Amino acid sequence: QVQLVESGGGLVQAGGSLRLSCTASGRTISSYAMGWFRQAPGKEREFVSGISWSGGSTAYADSAKGRFTISRDNAKNTVDLQMNSLKPEDTAVYYCAARRTTILPTFRFGYDSWGQGTQVSVSS
């Protein structure tokens, strides 16, 4: 299995930006679909964005469309999530996920490798 480590979380004011990074080890992610999920206190873990193994397909939750951008660098074994125009409701722990597949899952059980998460807090 691939090991995933997230970084880049922090505290930011509403309207600000953060860039999350996910670094993979153990396997090359070039044949993996990659996703970002988030979980706020007392809520279910929800899909935020995903990118296919080639980078040719991306998907976003409605809450992320127009504000977040996912990208990947297979040579560096990394996946990033650029988050702009952040809102207090974006506050959550953000998780990177992976699955060796040619499809692009947009649901939690479509992924089988997970990072430990990074906290994003947006103040109003």
Side-chain angles (χ1 to χ4, degrees), residues 29-34 50-60 70-74 79 101-104:
I29 62 168
S30 58
S31 58
Y32 284 72
M34 304 295 295
I51 188 166
S52 63
W53 66 275
S54 66
S57 296
T58 58
Y60 296 92
I70 191 170
S71 61
R72 67 188 298 157
D73 187 334
N74 286 342
V79 176
T101 179
T102 57
I103 65 170
L104 178 51

Side-chain angles (χ1 to χ4, degrees), residues 57-97:
S57 296
T58 58
Y60 296 92
D62 287 344
S63 58
K65 287 178 182 175
R67 299 188 300 128
F68 295 2
T69 303
I70 191 170
S71 61
R72 67 188 298 157
D73 187 334
N74 286 342
K76 295 182 179 179
N77 243 25
T78 59
V79 176
D80 290 349
L81 185 69
Q82 177 67 42
M83 305 188 296
N84 299 328
S85 303
L86 284 162
K87 306 174 182 180
E89 50 264 44
D90 294 318
T91 295
V93 177
Y94 283 70
Y95 297 90
C96 179

Side-chain angles (χ1 to χ4, degrees), residues 11-51:
L11 174 63
V12 64
Q13 288 188 330
S17 299
L18 282 174
R19 188 175 184 90
L20 304 183
S21 290
C22 173
T23 301
S25 62
R27 299 276 180 93
T28 177
I29 62 168
S30 58
S31 58
Y32 284 72
M34 304 295 295
W36 284 98
F37 289 72
R38 68 186 183 187
Q39 188 166 15
K43 294 189 176 181
E44 296 284 325
R45 190 171 299 187
E46 63 177 3
F47 174 81
V48 175
S49 182
I51 188 166

